[in-house]
Amino acid sequence: QVQLVESGGGSVQPGGSLRLSCVASGLTYSMYFMKWYRQGPGKERELVADISPTGAVVNYADSVKGRFTISRDNDEKTVYLDMNNLESEDTAVYFCNAVYRLDASATYWGQGTQVTVSS
């Protein structure tokens, strides 16, 4: 049974930082692309960042470039999202997503973690 468990969300003031973590189990972690999505109030879910199975390739949404960093530890089966200089527009539920590198239809989601940026 595949599980993705996010943690690290919370409330922070504008300009603050948070680190999200997502621990995977039940899959061959090194064979999966890992992605962070978010869904803000009244908005559609959007891709924030993704990282290749080896960690060699990363991509970011324009809205978070220069502020967020995605990384992974394949030994710990964990993907991270370091978020700096947070803005109110970053308020959302953040979801971890795993996509099998050989079959994109094999995809799994975490339950989400809330990030609230407010003064």
Side-chain angles (χ1 to χ4, degrees), residues 30-92:
S30 61
M31 294 291 286
Y32 283 78
F33 290 87
M34 296 302 297
K35 303 172 186 282
W36 285 100
Y37 283 80
R38 69 185 180 187
Q39 187 164 16
K43 298 181 181 179
E44 294 187 353
R45 191 172 296 192
E46 63 171 345
L47 178 63
V48 175
D50 59 34
I51 187 166
S52 63
T54 64
V57 180
V58 297
N59 295 288
Y60 298 95
D62 287 343
S63 59
V64 306
K65 278 181 182 176
R67 300 188 298 120
F68 289 12
T69 302
I70 188 171
S71 60
R72 66 190 292 163
D73 183 333
N74 283 0
D75 290 334
E76 297 296 326
K77 295 187 177 181
T78 302
V79 62
Y80 303 98
L81 187 68
D82 288 294
M83 305 185 296
N84 297 309
N85 195 19
L86 283 160
E87 305 168 352
S88 58
E89 292 77 14
D90 297 316
T91 295

Side-chain angles (χ1 to χ4, degrees), residues 5 77 85 93 96:
V5 180
K77 295 187 177 181
N85 195 19
V93 179
C96 176

